[in-house]
Amino acid sequence: NCDLLKAAVVDSVLSAFRSICGEDGVSMGGAVREQHGRDESVHRCRPPDVVVFPRCVEEVSALAKVCHKHRLPIIPFGTGTGLEGGVGAVKGGVSFSLRNMEQILDLHQEDFDVTVEPGVTRKTLNAYLRDTGLWFPVDPGADASLCGMAATSASGTNAVRYGTMRENVVNLEVVLADGTIIHTAGKGRRPRKTSAGYNLTNLFVGSEGTLGIITKTTLRLYGIPEAMVSAVCSFPSVQAAVDSTVQILQAGVPIARIEFLDDVMIDACNKFSSLSYPVTPTLFLEFHGSERSVEEQVSTTADITQSNGGADFQWAQDVETRNQLWKARHDAWYAAQALRPGCKAYATDVCVPLSRLPQIIVETKKDLIENKLTGPIAGHVGDGNFHCLMVVDPNDPEELHSVHLFSERLARPELLDEHQLQFVLSAYE
Amino acid sequence: NCDLLKAAVVDSVLSAFRSICGEDGVSMGGAVREQHGRDESVHRCRPPDVVVFPRCVEEVSALAKVCHKHRLPIIPFGTGTGLEGGVGAVKGGVSFSLRNMEQILDLHQEDFDVTVEPGVTRKTLNAYLRDTGLWFPVDPGADASLCGMAATSASGTNAVRYGTMRENVVNLEVVLADGTIIHTAGKGRRPRKTSAGYNLTNLFVGSEGTLGIITKTTLRLYGIPEAMVSAVCSFPSVQAAVDSTVQILQAGVPIARIEFLDDVMIDACNKFSSLSYPVTPTLFLEFHGSERSVEEQVSTTADITQSNGGADFQWAQDVETRNQLWKARHDAWYAAQALRPGCKAYATDVCVPLSRLPQIIVETKKDLIENKLTGPIAGHVGDGNFHCLMVVDPNDPEELHSVHLFSERLARPELLDEHQLQFVLSAYE
């Protein structure tokens, strides 16, 4: 009888899992499976068949061997803070929850590098580093797993100055589908640069778990700047805000953060974070460096923004005001959702050449209005990258469909031939 | 008769080549084959069987299809300025000389990017950019083909500030072995950042021609800094020079260049470029930025170097003195060779964590002396990367062997477990 056979296989797989990571290292509980089948996005929960909790790379490898033998899908799970449904078990299978691997290893202050396991988040690492004068700047907003950030090639508000994960991962330990353990830059190596062999590190960075399970990542660290100043500036138009950005970059200002928020987004942030910024296209900025260099960066930037009609240039050096500002920016996702209670946000992620940005944002806003869609826009404008945060009622199939069509227009090459559309449609329905 | 058959195949291949890129697009002349079988390194000439000169990507593709059909090795050839014998036709085959593809395409000033064909060199591009206020900073010394620099993941003296080719190539057009034409980031795309799909661009960057022929590269450009100041400083010891480097980086000085030269190297440069620097471990430095920021960088750096016993801190802002300084550094290769007339230089290229650098350089110098080898040391010390330029008599097999053994010791993992050894031994014998 086929069912009996299947049951027997399931039993043998589960007992193999238990013998590897212990009784409480394997869970088929409904709540646990639910929790590992969704992230923070609108994409509906796709629970795995079972969740395992390995404690070390050897256990990850042994578990992968079992899955490989039985051709079971593997889904690595970090913190579940993703916004694109990447953790959904679209074909069922085994979720590898890596939260029990949470060691910070081999901090080399003088070499500006550190190695972390998948359970270590961005904030945990920076708290650990606080007294060293070093920090890890890549900041996608959420307190994500650093290995997960490597797997998804995370970037964020600091990318314009410090780059994305792509520029800041120097080595990875990866478990391949068959259980093989590899080190992309060689075991124990942490080169600041290398051209030895193929660049495997950057093949795995951004591979979204499709090439293997990242069990260690070695990161590049930076000295904490002597001074940090943040600023907010309101503009009469999208064009004026983007022109200012281009001119700031052209002037060689080593800007640390330059974030665009459209009128709808700033309105949402005002409401959600009880702020009172003018409801017009806005730039949030941050400057890092020595006291003197920051002073100079601020004055250059102030000149440029004013020449483009920028107003209400407010700047702040104290930690509280700066944190409040960036918390507001990082809460944009929730601020957007709060515009329509009971709705969920649906991330789009587009990167275009800077010069195309004003036209594309204007076209996009027109499209949103025509189709009666709620989609506040926030952008890492220094990189020509913007997010249109679609706020959608998950129980309204018609609206979901209309959002789906909108995102396809956003991505349509013949319209915007230089787009890089990055969100995962596959998990979306 | 087998020879007749072979002759017939050769004829058909050659006529196929000629029908693709014309009579004078195909050469079997001895001199031409010699010229395409060697670079600037000691590695002996390995001439290809034939050299072809395609004029466009379609011709490269058509030629590749012919080679693929007849299983002929393909060796892409840019400027032949390599130092590691990469162009040697170790198994014979067809050298694709790309010098006739020399267009500069799609300069987008406001987006800081440009696309170039393989015949365009670093200096040609920067001359072309001069009036735009932009430049491409990656500078390996030689006036290499930019596509060749992508293929070899070139870096150089500016890497500490601007990164290597890895950080500055945003898209590649590549012809695969079977003639397929691909664009690693999508046709016509030039994203400043992307996490869409696998990072194919960085798989081809540094692939040394083994994965395909790069026929176009889209590069990231930078604004020419308002001020550039260079400096030279002499140190009592290797340790003092490297300690200064670490402290300069820790102080967050955005140093543009920081090059280490050991006593032997500076002596060679003095002689070759008729300079008169003290014959001790030396740092060549350069600072880029606004007038004020450069001023501040110089004073911070001067304080740090003095606190480490650095002396004779000379700095220069005028173009002539700066060019003279960096010409001297870039002529290090020839300066080294000139130490022993009739000898050739043999490049080694090692990258280690900064903290290991003093110990490794000291060990290496000891090794050189013990084995009576001439190997001045120059290093991109900001990245923990140094070159030991072996000066060797190509007609002295014993010395060649001894150099070979030395380079293997330099690479030996159990001795220096974090080395990245980058030179190609395969082509060496």
Side-chain angles (χ1 to χ4, degrees):
Chain A
N1 174 309
C2 175
D3 286 354
L4 275 176
L5 186 65
K6 208 185 268 171
V9 172
V10 170
D11 283 350
S12 75
V13 166
L14 290 176
S15 55
F17 286 168
R18 294 201 180 91
S19 68
I20 292 163
C21 49
E23 279 302 323
D24 48 11
V26 182
S27 172
M28 295 183 78
V32 174
R33 288 169 51 231
E34 286 285 316
Q35 182 212 332
H36 289 81
R38 72 155 55 88
D39 57 16
E40 310 248 321
S41 70
V42 69
H43 305 298
R44 76 171 167 79
C45 183
R46 298 298 211 87
D49 298 309
V50 52
V51 183
V52 292
F53 299 86
R55 293 158 294 193
C56 60
V57 63
E58 292 74 18
E59 290 186 2
V60 174
S61 170
L63 291 163
K65 286 194 173 86
V66 176
C67 295
H68 188 61
K69 182 176 163 207
H70 296 281
R71 312 192 58 68
L72 301 171
I74 296 173
I75 307 102
F77 189 98
T79 52
T81 48
L83 300 177
E84 292 165 354
V87 299
V90 288
K91 295 197 153 91
V94 185
S95 175
F96 281 46
S97 173
L98 302 162
R99 70 179 183 204
N100 294 339
M101 296 171 62
E102 50 187 348
Q103 287 192 72
I104 298 175
L105 308 155
D106 307 325
L107 169 61
H108 296 98
Q109 292 192 41
E110 67 290 357
D111 297 323
F112 301 84
D113 63 59
V114 69
T115 299
V116 296
E117 292 188 330
V120 180
T121 66
R122 183 174 68 76
K123 288 181 180 173
T124 308
L125 176 62
N126 280 325
Y128 177 87
L129 292 173
R130 194 170 289 124
D131 305 331
T132 65
L134 299 173
W135 70 315
F136 183 70
V138 180
D139 178 0
D143 187 23
S145 153
L146 290 155
C147 290
M149 286 167 62
T152 54
S153 196
S155 57
T157 54
N158 275 322
V160 64
R161 167 72 173 267
Y162 298 97
T164 70
M165 291 306 279
R166 184 187 283 193
E167 288 78 29
N168 290 293
V169 174
V170 300
N171 199 355
L172 293 170
E173 179 185 75
V174 181
V175 175
L176 304 181
D178 67 354
T180 310
I181 301 169
I182 65 163
H183 297 84
T184 54
K187 192 161 198 293
R189 294 184 180 180
R190 42 198 179 88
R192 283 177 66 88
K193 73 178 196 194
T194 173
S195 63
Y198 296 115
N199 184 349
L200 293 183
T201 301
N202 276 307
L203 185 59
F204 282 91
V205 170
S207 62
E208 301 274 352
T210 61
L211 299 181
I213 304 162
I214 296 172
T215 50
K216 277 194 195 69
T217 177
T218 302
L219 300 166
R220 190 165 181 166
L221 301 174
Y222 295 79
I224 295 173
E226 177 189 332
M228 298 194 186
V229 169
S230 64
V232 181
C233 187
S234 308
F235 291 88
S237 66
V238 173
Q239 186 77 51
V242 176
D243 287 348
S244 304
T245 306
V246 173
Q247 290 161 25
I248 289 164
L249 294 174
Q250 268 163 347
V253 176
I255 191 110
R257 287 174 159 145
I258 183 160
E259 293 289 302
F260 170 82
L261 296 85
D262 78 345
D263 51 343
V264 184
M265 190 75 253
I266 198 77
D267 186 37
C269 289
N270 280 342
K271 289 172 177 147
F272 188 80
S273 306
S274 46
L275 304 166
S276 54
Y277 296 116
V279 179
T280 76
T282 303
L283 288 180
F284 285 5
L285 309 101
E286 191 161 271
F287 309 90
H288 295 173
S290 67
E291 292 288 354
R292 273 184 60 183
S293 121
V294 164
E295 222 174 87
E296 188 186 22
Q297 294 178 47
V298 169
S299 71
T300 310
T301 304
D303 295 347
I304 290 171
T305 51
Q306 273 147 35
S307 74
N308 287 288
D312 315 305
F313 195 94
Q314 312 170 28
W315 58 290
Q317 183 145 21
D318 64 293
V319 183
E320 294 65 28
T321 322
R322 286 197 297 106
N323 288 350
Q324 185 197 29
L325 177 71
W326 293 110
K327 180 155 190 341
R329 167 62 185 92
H330 286 145
D331 287 342
W333 176 259
Y334 305 99
Q337 288 194 32
L339 286 173
R340 292 178 58 194
C343 288
K344 293 279 279 177
Y346 170 55
T348 66
D349 192 342
V350 176
C351 194
V352 300
L354 230 48
S355 60
R356 306 282 310 275
L357 202 57
Q359 174 211 347
I360 284 156
I361 290 179
V362 169
E363 280 173 8
T364 304
K365 289 176 70 68
K366 202 158 134 289
D367 188 332
L368 289 166
I369 290 159
E370 277 166 7
N371 294 278
K372 305 188 179 46
L373 294 171
T374 310
I377 293 173
H380 312 308
V381 74
D383 291 315
N385 179 199
F386 72 91
H387 304 282
C388 190
L389 302 176
M390 304 310 299
V391 187
V392 52
D393 177 354
N395 304 316
D396 178 344
E398 205 171 296
E399 187 181 357
L400 278 170
H401 182 64
S402 152
V403 165
H404 197 172
L405 293 177
F406 164 79
S407 56
E408 284 180 343
R409 284 193 298 278
L410 194 57
R412 203 162 66 221
E414 62 273 19
L415 183 70
L416 310 165
D417 69 308
E418 280 153 327
H419 272 210
Q420 287 290 332
L421 199 71
Q422 298 173 16
F423 61 89
V424 178
L425 275 173
S426 58
Y428 179 77
E429 53 214 33
Chain B
N1 176 311
C2 174
D3 286 353
L4 277 176
L5 186 65
K6 207 185 270 170
V9 172
V10 170
D11 282 349
S12 76
V13 167
L14 289 176
S15 55
F17 286 168
R18 293 200 181 92
S19 68
I20 293 164
C21 49
E23 279 300 326
D24 48 12
V26 182
S27 171
M28 295 184 79
V32 174
R33 288 170 50 233
E34 287 284 317
Q35 183 212 331
H36 290 80
R38 73 154 57 86
D39 58 15
E40 310 248 319
S41 70
V42 68
H43 306 299
R44 77 171 167 81
C45 182
R46 297 300 211 83
D49 298 310
V50 53
V51 184
V52 292
F53 300 86
R55 294 158 294 193
C56 60
V57 62
E58 292 74 18
E59 289 186 3
V60 173
S61 170
L63 291 163
K65 286 194 175 89
V66 175
C67 295
H68 188 62
K69 181 176 163 205
H70 296 280
R71 311 193 56 68
L72 300 170
I74 295 172
I75 307 100
F77 189 97
T79 52
T81 48
L83 300 176
E84 291 164 353
V87 298
V90 288
K91 295 199 153 91
V94 184
S95 175
F96 282 46
S97 174
L98 302 163
R99 69 177 184 206
N100 294 340
M101 297 170 64
E102 49 186 349
Q103 289 192 70
I104 299 176
L105 307 155
D106 307 323
L107 169 62
H108 297 96
Q109 292 193 41
E110 67 289 359
D111 296 324
F112 301 85
D113 63 57
V114 69
T115 299
V116 296
E117 293 188 329
V120 180
T121 66
R122 185 174 65 77
K123 288 181 180 172
T124 308
L125 175 62
N126 280 325
Y128 177 87
L129 293 174
R130 194 171 288 121
D131 304 328
T132 64
L134 300 173
W135 71 313
F136 183 69
V138 180
D139 177 0
D143 187 23
S145 153
L146 290 155
C147 290
M149 286 167 62
T152 55
S153 195
S155 59
T157 53
N158 276 323
V160 63
R161 168 73 173 267
Y162 299 96
T164 70
M165 291 306 280
R166 183 187 286 195
E167 287 78 28
N168 291 292
V169 174
V170 300
N171 199 354
L172 293 171
E173 180 186 74
V174 181
V175 174
L176 304 181
D178 67 355
T180 310
I181 301 169
I182 65 163
H183 297 83
T184 55
K187 191 160 201 289
R189 294 183 181 181
R190 42 198 179 88
R192 283 177 68 86
K193 75 178 195 194
T194 173
S195 62
Y198 296 117
N199 184 349
L200 293 182
T201 301
N202 275 307
L203 185 60
F204 282 91
V205 170
S207 62
E208 301 273 352
T210 60
L211 299 181
I213 304 162
I214 296 172
T215 50
K216 277 194 193 69
T217 178
T218 302
L219 299 166
R220 191 167 180 162
L221 302 174
Y222 295 79
I224 295 173
E226 178 190 334
M228 298 194 187
V229 169
S230 65
V232 181
C233 187
S234 308
F235 291 88
S237 67
V238 174
Q239 186 77 50
V242 176
D243 288 348
S244 304
T245 306
V246 173
Q247 291 160 27
I248 289 164
L249 294 175
Q250 268 162 349
V253 175
I255 190 114
R257 288 173 158 148
I258 183 159
E259 294 289 302
F260 170 82
L261 296 85
D262 78 344
D263 52 342
V264 185
M265 189 75 252
I266 197 77
D267 187 38
C269 289
N270 280 343
K271 288 174 177 146
F272 187 80
S273 306
S274 46
L275 304 165
S276 55
Y277 296 116
V279 179
T280 75
T282 303
L283 287 180
F284 285 5
L285 310 100
E286 192 161 270
F287 309 89
H288 295 174
S290 68
E291 292 288 353
R292 275 184 61 186
S293 124
V294 164
E295 219 175 90
E296 188 186 21
Q297 293 179 47
V298 168
S299 71
T300 309
T301 303
D303 294 347
I304 290 171
T305 52
Q306 272 148 34
S307 73
N308 287 288
D312 315 307
F313 195 92
Q314 311 169 28
W315 59 288
Q317 181 146 22
D318 63 294
V319 183
E320 294 65 29
T321 321
R322 286 196 297 108
N323 288 351
Q324 185 196 33
L325 176 70
W326 293 110
K327 182 162 188 339
R329 167 60 185 92
H330 286 145
D331 287 342
W333 175 259
Y334 305 99
Q337 286 195 31
L339 285 173
R340 291 178 58 194
C343 288
K344 295 278 279 173
Y346 170 55
T348 66
D349 192 342
V350 176
C351 194
V352 300
L354 229 47
S355 60
R356 305 283 311 275
L357 201 58
Q359 172 212 349
I360 284 157
I361 289 179
V362 168
E363 282 174 8
T364 303
K365 290 176 69 68
K366 201 158 135 289
D367 186 332
L368 289 166
I369 291 159
E370 277 168 6
N371 294 279
K372 305 188 178 47
L373 294 171
T374 311
I377 292 173
H380 313 308
V381 75
D383 292 315
N385 178 202
F386 72 91
H387 304 281
C388 190
L389 302 176
M390 305 310 298
V391 186
V392 52
D393 177 354
N395 305 317
D396 179 343
E398 205 170 296
E399 188 181 358
L400 279 170
H401 182 64
S402 152
V403 165
H404 197 172
L405 293 178
F406 164 80
S407 57
E408 283 179 344
R409 283 193 299 278
L410 193 58
R412 203 162 66 223
E414 63 273 19
L415 182 70
L416 310 164
D417 68 309
E418 280 152 325
H419 272 210
Q420 287 291 336
L421 199 71
Q422 299 172 11
F423 61 89
V424 179
L425 274 173
S426 57
Y428 179 76
E429 53 211 33

